[in-house]
Amino acid sequence: MAIIKNKSPVLFFYNNSKKWLMNISKKESLHTHIGVLKHADAIGKEYGSRLMTNKDKYVYLLEPTMYDYIMKIQHGTQIVYPKDLGYIAARAGIQDGQKILEIGTGSGSMTSFVASIVKPRGHVYTFDVDENFMKIAEKNIRKSGVSKYVTQHNLDLKTSKETPVTDMDVALIDLGDPWIVIPKVRQMLKGSGSIFAICPTMNQLEKLTMALVENEFTDIESTEHIIRTIEAREGKTRHSFQGIGHTTYLCFARKAFFGRTVKSTKAKATTKAKATTKAKATTKAKATTKAKATTKAKITKKSTKN
Amino acid sequence: MAIIKNKSPVLFFYNNSKKWLMNISKKESLHTHIGVLKHADAIGKEYGSRLMTNKDKYVYLLEPTMYDYIMKIQHGTQIVYPKDLGYIAARAGIQDGQKILEIGTGSGSMTSFVASIVKPRGHVYTFDVDENFMKIAEKNIRKSGVSKYVTQHNLDLKTSKETPVTDMDVALIDLGDPWIVIPKVRQMLKGSGSIFAICPTMNQLEKLTMALVENEFTDIESTEHIIRTIEAREGKTRHSFQGIGHTTYLCFARKAFFGRTVKSTKAKATTKAKATTKAKATTKAKATTKAKATTKAKITKKSTKN
Amino acid sequence: MAIIKNKSPVLFFYNNSKKWLMNISKKESLHTHIGVLKHADAIGKEYGSRLMTNKDKYVYLLEPTMYDYIMKIQHGTQIVYPKDLGYIAARAGIQDGQKILEIGTGSGSMTSFVASIVKPRGHVYTFDVDENFMKIAEKNIRKSGVSKYVTQHNLDLKTSKETPVTDMDVALIDLGDPWIVIPKVRQMLKGSGSIFAICPTMNQLEKLTMALVENEFTDIESTEHIIRTIEAREGKTRHSFQGIGHTTYLCFARKAFFGRTVKSTKAKATTKAKATTKAKATTKAKATTKAKATTKAKITKKSTKN
Amino acid sequence: MAIIKNKSPVLFFYNNSKKWLMNISKKESLHTHIGVLKHADAIGKEYGSRLMTNKDKYVYLLEPTMYDYIMKIQHGTQIVYPKDLGYIAARAGIQDGQKILEIGTGSGSMTSFVASIVKPRGHVYTFDVDENFMKIAEKNIRKSGVSKYVTQHNLDLKTSKETPVTDMDVALIDLGDPWIVIPKVRQMLKGSGSIFAICPTMNQLEKLTMALVENEFTDIESTEHIIRTIEAREGKTRHSFQGIGHTTYLCFARKAFFGRTVKSTKAKATTKAKATTKAKATTKAKATTKAKATTKAKITKKSTKN
């Protein structure tokens, strides 16, 4: 039986739009539109208990889950929502022990979610270039209790020649121009490893899909996820009048090898040759077709053996 | 670099509707409408490589993920789909180390998915009454590599007076009449613990919601999840013409305590007593009219300490 | 070329949420958050022209369509939305010359829409019991220019023994308990005529469907209609972040004859008798238990000649 | 009471996927998988009656509506579906008496639908270039009984310098490249008149929207319409497992005037000149690169008086 103590994290829950996540601090009070609660009154209670505010409203003392941490991060930043995070985990088959690459840490909500699944034997390597965001993310990741399973890198993988990690099981990309990093991501992924990119626009899906084909990915799938809330009440069950709008589209793919198999010693030389040939071919084609306009980013491939 | 060996699991992937999951067996061949492949040819290849069938079709040798195991189970049984499983994990905040109760093992797809997330320190306790299904589930769970983290119970929690497990973090219910087991589930859940029920009909959502309110659950939320596939192609991006239909609705809630606090020594005794009484009451009510039982059967609660 | 004159109706259009529908009155001004416009300045302009407010915002002078009248009615009352109205018209095949029965005039928005399609040779007979609503509806119908094609009746078809109109092509029902009037509606519809009922809840669909089967309707179809707005912009096309929620479900059916044919002279008498009996039966049943009434009350029919 | 005679049109309705629309021909029979029916047996029956096939299946004799004619046309061609047609009618406020321009007659299903609403005082002017399609359309329009209200033109409005009709209330465009005809359509529409374009891809919406802005349209709105079927059954109500996929997106707009007002006498001459110039410009641009034409070709407008 889990009892709330001083410093315990608690979700003060009134309803889905009125809820407050904080650590108990015995001298403090929670001031809200629905009344005031003393933290001290929560101490000693079992999680799930309720308190009454001075305005006679019941507030539940819930034990925060990863969902609650993510939804709290939401305030003020663009997050990836649970409906989308859940599909990412289920479609990519994310599980304990995996190594995850994340490009675009943002506020750290996806980082925390994924870390909570791959822990304790897996790890999340997350990259960002915005130092302010990195600090916010660090704080959010710490609060959600998964810092130990996350390494934050301040590195621009769009331009960097380094390959700080390799053999990743899954790569998550949350950038405005995800197609730029695909060749790099390919080097960092294990064979058959998965990619998921967060794409708020259809144009991103389109450009990214072309880049994925060019970079030898298979099982490419673009989806969108609509969650609808149902108000289930005796004799009056119906969907909620309040609509839930678009958040993002998602693009999934798995790393494959399109080329012929070569002997491993010769491999590098041959690969190089092939890479150049293909690059040229693509370039040529692109010159005539529209592809150029949209992809532009000319990515020279030096090896395709990763 | 993961190399395919004899006995390695491989997803032979042609496209999303033509794919075959099996273990490599060096003397066997895969016979399909798109041609024949010798298993032996896959041995020594890196995951992600492709082979050509004798009908000149490329088939990719992918490393199976939990998603692939779940989608394979799909054939012949009603499964919970990844879009729904993902939301369950994300909304309930399922993560490493948790103890999960599942009522209705079915074919074991949800069991396997959840086990892959809570492992290695968590565990899934799953209950079913159909011995045939239990054998199928056992096989599926073993194939997906998570047997170590799952305990299967052949016990009818609708009628049983036993409480084989307690202090569960999350309870997953996949029964036609989930409301029946709510009082029992409540006893098995920790305070603030979550429930998710798979409800294919609106009527189930309605009855279940009433039972959840009666049994002191909060943060009750019914949702449905629509996944739409987008065909992203240069200059022709649009949603897929192929529609994706209804699978199930989902009902979520968290265990709370509505009542006054009673002394902890007396609490246990009372709880036990109540548990028995309530079980009977529900069963009896059910015997006469189900509808009545859930809508009207006002069960007087003397203690809410479980 | 249509020129705006004094008293012409004009939709002052800034954007989809800021628009004002009124008749030009040369001495008046339109005062809004985006500035002031003098009606007089619109006079002599072609529809489609724009004026600039004193806050430098352009406002378009559009010629109001039936859509604009309906959306104006929206303010303050529950209306049937264009997405739903459109499907009603298309599925029931509403067209010029038809006779339409409407039960539940409400604010008159569906009345006006349907009248604009069946005119000039068709007619809408609309019934309501709320005199205040009837006055509001009358005003709205007049404003939208279709009064000539609409007859308003103050009569409760749930209880009335009269059958003021017959041989209707289509019946539209917007009541909380549409199943009550189905036997009556049947008498008023021509053979093979269509019904459309506005059902905000799933429970209504369920009860109504049972009543339709009992009352010999075929081609029964329940649907819901989701409209999603797309923001099409160069290189940034995506669905709108603003969600659009549930409005109503719709239930369609066509009047059929299940039974043996009886002689027409006897038919009428029997019909009348039946109507009365059934009305009573239903009312009585309702008094005891609603659920029972609709689900079980098997009403033996001797004639199906209405 | 409408009685079926020889030559009467009848929809033989078994269920929504098994139904046959034909004219009664007293010596013929209907042969189906669910048995055989003699047309002669339908003669003398009231619409809505049913017949039993020699395989003991009931088939209803329904009076065909415009919906039935449209759904019959569906077989073998790409049609605009009732869910989309309905919204077009409701959003554009199509009603009796209007003049409708249609570019891309196709199989004539949208033509017939719209004609059935604008008749008897309105008219549909429909343009196509494919003579085979025009014949099919003619037949379909005749069958649905609205030939009198439709004029078919064999003319390519993408290239033609003629303006065969003007002062249209609504323009419906069903072309692969709708943006090409926007300047032409503008000339043919009355001020404040509406456009609706059928756009199966997101890319079309994007290009068209840019063309609409350039050509001084306002109230631009892109939407998609999802219809979901609900299986309403006692105690088991849920959405249909069978999904309904994407059909098309729709783009709506209204003709406005962005520019300064010019004197009406001069206006006409200028308009004509511009019309010619613009037509040329567009054609030329198209010859080189389509993408460029729509996205970049900034056409300087000197007058906006059409």
Side-chain angles (χ1 to χ4, degrees), chain C residues 48 50 63 67-68 91 95-96 119 190 192 206 222 224 226 228 230 235 237 239 254 257-258 295, chain D residues 48 50 63 67-68 95-96 119 190 192 206 222 224 226 228 230 234-235 237 239 254 257-258:
Chain C
R50 66 183 183 186
E63 190 175 1
Y67 173 87
D68 300 318
R91 182 64 173 92
Q95 54 169 289
D96 159 60
K119 77 179 170 106
K190 72 174 189 187
S192 187
E206 195 172 312
S222 290
E224 70 167 325
I226 303 171
R228 299 181 73 205
I230 296 156
T237 295
H239 285 90
R254 303 202 223 190
F257 300 95
F258 290 7
T295 59
Chain D
R50 66 184 184 184
E63 189 175 3
Y67 174 86
D68 300 318
Q95 55 169 289
D96 159 59
K119 77 182 172 105
K190 72 173 189 187
S192 188
E206 193 172 314
S222 291
E224 68 167 325
I226 303 172
R228 300 180 73 203
I230 296 156
E234 191 176 2
T237 295
H239 284 91
R254 302 203 224 189
F257 300 95
F258 289 8

Side-chain angles (χ1 to χ4, degrees), chain C residues 206-221:
Chain C
E206 195 172 312
K207 284 189 190 174
L208 178 57
T209 298
M210 289 186 286
L212 288 168
V213 170
E214 273 178 27
N215 284 280
E216 309 197 354
F217 280 80
T218 188
D219 196 10
I220 302 173
E221 178 198 87

Side-chain angles (χ1 to χ4, degrees), chain D residues 33-170:
Chain D
H33 287 293
I34 54 156
V36 178
L37 286 173
K38 288 181 191 161
H39 280 208
D41 290 345
I43 296 174
K45 294 271 186 312
E46 187 176 351
Y47 277 116
S49 305
R50 66 184 184 184
L51 295 178
M52 193 186 272
T53 70
N54 63 343
K55 288 187 179 172
D56 290 350
K57 301 290 184 192
Y58 282 115
V59 171
Y60 295 89
L61 308 168
L62 302 180
E63 189 175 3
T65 64
M66 185 52 69
Y67 174 86
D68 300 318
Y69 287 109
I70 289 169
M71 295 312 279
K72 184 187 160 68
I73 292 174
Q74 174 189 13
H75 298 287
T77 56
Q78 182 73 19
I79 66 155
V80 181
Y81 281 82
K83 72 183 178 67
D84 298 314
L85 288 175
Y87 187 69
I88 289 172
R91 182 65 173 90
I94 296 178
Q95 55 169 289
D96 159 59
Q98 293 186 338
K99 289 187 290 179
I100 312 287
L101 165 65
E102 183 187 43
I103 308 182
T105 312
S107 55
S109 65
M110 183 155 63
T111 324
S112 298
F113 174 72
V114 173
S116 76
I117 295 180
V118 300
K119 77 182 172 105
R121 298 179 299 195
H123 204 84
V124 183
Y125 303 88
T126 185
F127 292 78
D128 212 317
V129 291
D130 183 321
E131 292 194 30
N132 284 329
F133 255 121
M134 289 184 70
K135 278 176 197 160
I136 292 168
E138 194 197 345
K139 205 173 138 190
N140 286 328
I141 294 164
R142 193 175 58 241
K143 277 186 184 166
S144 61
V146 292
S147 296
K148 202 173 152 186
Y149 313 103
V150 175
T151 306
Q152 288 185 267
H153 293 268
N154 184 347
L155 184 68
D156 188 352
L157 288 178
K158 289 188 204 172
T159 55
S160 172
K161 278 169 191 148
E162 292 176 60
T163 308
V165 292
T166 56
D167 212 33
M168 296 287 109
D169 290 283
V170 178

Side-chain angles (χ1 to χ4, degrees), chain A residues 68 206 224 235 237 239 254, chain B residues 68 206 224 235 237 239 254:
Chain A
D68 300 316
E206 193 172 315
E224 69 167 324
T237 295
H239 284 90
R254 302 202 224 190
Chain B
D68 300 318
E206 195 172 312
E224 69 167 325
T237 295
H239 284 91
R254 302 203 224 190

